[in-house]
Amino acid sequence: MTKTNLPLDADRLWSDIMALADITDPARPYTRRSFTELFLEGRALVATRFTEAGLTTRIDTGGNLIGRIEGRKPELGVIAVGSHSDTVPSGGRFDGIAGVATGLEIVRALRDSGTQLDHTLEVIDFLAEEPSEYGLSCVGSRGMTGFLDVKMLDLVEPGGEKLRDALRRVGGDPDRLDRAIRSDIRAFLELHIEQGIVLESQSLDVGVVSSIVGIRRIEIVFEGEADHAGTTPLHLRHDALVAAANAVAIVRRIAEELDAEGPDYFVATVGILAVEPSASNIVPGRCRLLVDARTTNPALTARFVSALDRESAAAATAARVRRSAFTTLSDGPPVACDPDLQVTLRAAARDLGLAQTDLPSGAGHDAAFMSRICRSAMVFVPCRAGKSHAPQEWADRDAVAAGAAVILQAVKALDRSLQDA
Ligand code: HGY
Ligand code: MN
Ligand code: MN
């Protein structure tokens, strides 16, 4: 599908996305984990291209890379566009990156057309949108919206570094997070791949996102006793993995029951299960699970957590181990995208002759946090077979360009309409 006469340069946009894709752990394409040297290398590329496009760049105290170009009427405040440049392990080339590159291309397209906005325009690469090694996601957008608290800053990654020290290491300042909190942003728009199958299966060009799912992340730790796998009789074991394996099955069963009730969406996943000491001839002494539960209805989260609490405690007792932790690491409520911005995005897609639909997001995004300080909305573009968080993740060049054009046209429309609001 070749989109002709889009008001931006699809090849230039594509080259930014592919340039970032080259910066990856070669053994695990595509991996650029937040706070790593590879992440900083990717950030340096983005910052260079921001500068080349005429943006002044800075890292705010929340660790976000921000490119800024002043508007004709600075008193009007800021319109911001962005996403994230970090990836999940063995992730894709488009999740987050397509949104950052879209912001950059919009700046160039406005420059090339000799257009200066009345509002100041900012392009933001948010720090650590993906769940980081410290156990927290959306670190930068939490910082920009006042939801990065001291407890979170004391989270530690397996090597022992605290999040506060990692934040400082990438240019943030954990002692001055108040300076990251913004009140001058009037609207935030994020382009993202759908990470689902709706757009592709219905041959649609773009999706206007209606809501973003709420995400609760819970850590559960079981402590038993490491023992010899050959000489320890079964009835004398305190096998932490037996309790953990039951807990994984419990997570799935409770989630299926809640999801089957309808009409609300409910899913839960155990994506991390760390076994210690993790040797074939040692009865596991300790297991740590990380549970990711998502729903459009917070009442279901409460029911899920209370059932999981009760039943995982019972699983510990049955395996003769201790459940030493049942901790909520983060809890973001579901968010409705701004209705007026959705109207603007739909009009932009229509004016560009694009086939569109409204749809909810089962993925979390920085836009969810940004909705706490300003009008916030998203555009999805199709990705092949809905695949994401895997190296097979793919979006067509013209599909990304079409979505970026919707954001561009919406930014120009908002530059006018926000003044009337
Ligand atoms: O996990 C998510 O939903 C997002 O991709 N970070
Ligand atoms: Mn992701
Ligand atoms: Mn993402």
Side-chain angles (χ1 to χ4, degrees):
M1 166 190 67
T2 303
K3 291 285 166 221
T4 52
N5 61 37
L6 291 176
L8 47 72
D9 184 327
D11 289 328
R12 194 167 54 185
L13 170 55
W14 187 255
S15 77
D16 291 330
I17 294 171
M18 290 300 124
L20 266 174
D22 289 341
I23 304 174
T24 174
D25 173 350
R28 297 188 298 165
Y30 298 86
T31 300
R32 200 171 45 252
R33 295 293 283 149
S34 54
F35 301 102
T36 63
E37 285 311 307
L38 273 172
F39 169 74
L40 292 173
E41 193 184 327
R43 267 241 159 128
L45 171 79
V46 174
T48 301
R49 296 201 177 188
F50 277 12
T51 307
E52 288 165 351
L55 293 167
T56 55
T57 61
R58 69 186 178 100
I59 304 272
D60 72 1
T61 58
N64 301 300
L65 172 64
I66 300 171
R68 179 183 172 98
I69 188 160
E70 297 301 330
R72 277 192 297 247
K73 302 177 186 169
E75 69 279 7
L76 292 175
V78 173
I79 294 174
V81 177
S83 193
H84 61 95
S85 66
D86 62 307
T87 73
V88 295
S90 303
R93 291 166 275 186
F94 301 87
D95 173 354
I97 291 101
V100 175
T102 288
L104 174 56
E105 179 52 26
I106 282 173
V107 169
R108 295 176 180 136
L110 289 169
R111 177 200 61 197
D112 294 353
S113 62
T115 309
Q116 188 189 7
L117 301 176
D118 288 340
H119 288 78
T120 293
L121 179 61
E122 287 190 357
V123 184
I124 305 173
D125 169 17
F126 290 102
L127 176 64
E129 187 276 343
E130 299 294 0
S132 60
E133 305 306 326
Y134 305 81
L136 191 69
S137 64
C138 294
V139 174
S141 50
R142 291 175 199 269
M144 189 171 280
T145 57
F147 288 86
L148 186 60
D149 62 34
V150 171
K151 226 170 99 212
M152 293 171 175
L153 291 172
D154 285 335
L155 288 170
V156 178
E157 50 83 37
E161 183 182 40
K162 281 190 175 180
L163 179 56
R164 68 175 61 252
D165 298 323
L167 178 57
R168 194 174 284 112
R169 187 162 49 77
V170 300
D173 183 347
D175 301 324
R176 291 179 179 76
L177 281 179
D178 55 316
R179 295 183 185 171
I181 302 171
R182 305 287 294 271
S183 59
D184 60 338
I185 298 177
R186 296 287 164 267
F188 172 73
L189 294 175
E190 179 172 5
L191 175 135
H192 207 285
I193 53 169
E194 179 194 341
Q195 300 176 302
I197 194 64
V198 170
L199 297 179
E200 183 184 64
S201 61
Q202 296 179 25
S203 305
L204 296 169
D205 296 313
V206 292
V208 176
V209 178
S210 51
S211 64
I212 301 170
V213 73
I215 305 178
R216 167 82 74 105
R217 291 199 176 99
I218 299 164
E219 177 188 60
I220 306 178
V221 178
F222 294 106
E223 312 257 6
E225 277 176 36
D227 273 316
H228 194 294
T231 56
T232 311
L234 293 176
H235 69 284
L236 294 180
R237 293 183 178 201
H238 303 278
D239 186 332
L241 184 50
V242 167
N246 280 328
V248 172
I250 289 164
V251 164
R252 181 57 177 270
R253 177 176 47 77
I254 302 170
E256 284 177 341
E257 288 165 1
L258 291 172
D259 191 47
E261 280 181 17
D264 294 296
Y265 171 90
F266 193 96
V267 289
T269 313
V270 177
I272 294 176
L273 197 166
V275 180
E276 294 172 31
S278 188
S280 61
N281 61 351
I282 307 175
V283 174
R286 185 179 190 273
C287 277
R288 174 178 177 266
L289 298 83
L290 219 147
V291 183
D292 172 308
R294 304 186 184 206
T295 179
T296 47
N297 174 359
L300 296 186
T301 307
R303 288 175 55 194
F304 172 79
V305 172
S306 115
L308 179 59
D309 188 4
R310 188 177 58 254
E311 295 196 35
S312 63
T317 306
R320 294 189 296 274
V321 303
R322 196 164 57 86
R323 189 188 72 179
S324 56
F326 186 89
T327 314
T328 290
L329 293 181
S330 62
D331 185 17
V335 162
C337 294
D338 181 84
D340 295 336
L341 292 193
Q342 289 185 58
V343 168
T344 304
L345 290 169
R346 289 191 204 105
R350 189 185 57 243
D351 295 348
L352 286 162
L354 298 173
Q356 62 174 302
T357 186
D358 290 359
L359 77 172
S361 173
H365 298 287
D366 292 306
F369 282 96
M370 290 302 282
S371 71
R372 300 177 181 183
I373 60 166
C374 68
R375 294 168 180 269
S376 174
M378 296 187 74
V379 169
F380 277 170
V381 294
C383 57
R384 188 162 56 200
K387 196 95 173 140
S388 180
H389 284 188
Q392 302 87 335
E393 180 184 281
W394 180 262
D396 289 337
R397 188 203 69 136
D398 290 340
V400 177
V406 172
I407 300 274
L408 171 60
Q409 300 303 76
V411 164
K412 289 193 279 192
L414 288 170
D415 190 39
R416 296 184 298 275
S417 65
L418 287 172
Q419 297 187 51
D420 307 336

